[in-house]
Amino acid sequence: LARSDIVSLHTPLTPETRQMLDVETLAELPPGRGLYVVNTARGGLLDEAACLAALRDGRLAGLALDVLENEPPPRIVDDTGTVFGSVAG
């Protein structure tokens, strides 16, 4: 991860892949690294709270989630400017 600019997740959710991007993994990234993470595979592949914390401290530059662990989410805008919510009509 430390040498990547963008990581896109495309894997099934299994016990081995659950929260593959977690607090410990994200803590290995240096602050200001600017990594972008895209998850269009399955909710649960990453620790959403840890990713938001990594956005706040600059370890992640961006986070694009097409799936969440718990769907549909309530519509929220957090302090990073991230908008959570279903766009389905």
Side-chain angles (χ1 to χ4, degrees), residues 55-68:
L55 274 172
R56 288 185 187 102
D57 71 16
R59 293 177 195 277
L60 291 182
L63 180 62
L65 304 176
D66 185 46
V67 291
L68 298 170

Side-chain angles (χ1 to χ4, degrees), residues 7-23:
V7 172
S8 184
L9 304 178
H10 303 273
T11 187
L13 181 62
T14 67
E16 293 79 23
T17 62
R18 179 173 292 284
Q19 295 199 353
M20 60 193 313
L21 285 181
D22 58 11
V23 172

Side-chain angles (χ1 to χ4, degrees), residues 22-48:
D22 58 11
V23 172
E24 291 81 19
T25 303
L26 294 168
E28 295 174 10
L29 297 173
R33 173 62 190 94
L35 175 69
Y36 291 87
V37 173
V38 178
N39 183 12
T40 60
R42 293 287 182 257
L45 291 177
L46 48 80
D47 179 334
E48 294 161 8

Side-chain angles (χ1 to χ4, degrees), residues 65-66 68 70-77 82-88:
L65 304 176
D66 185 46
L68 298 170
N70 298 304
E71 294 187 5
R75 185 159 176 83
I76 329 170
V77 179
T82 304
V83 178
F84 295 93
S86 176
V87 294

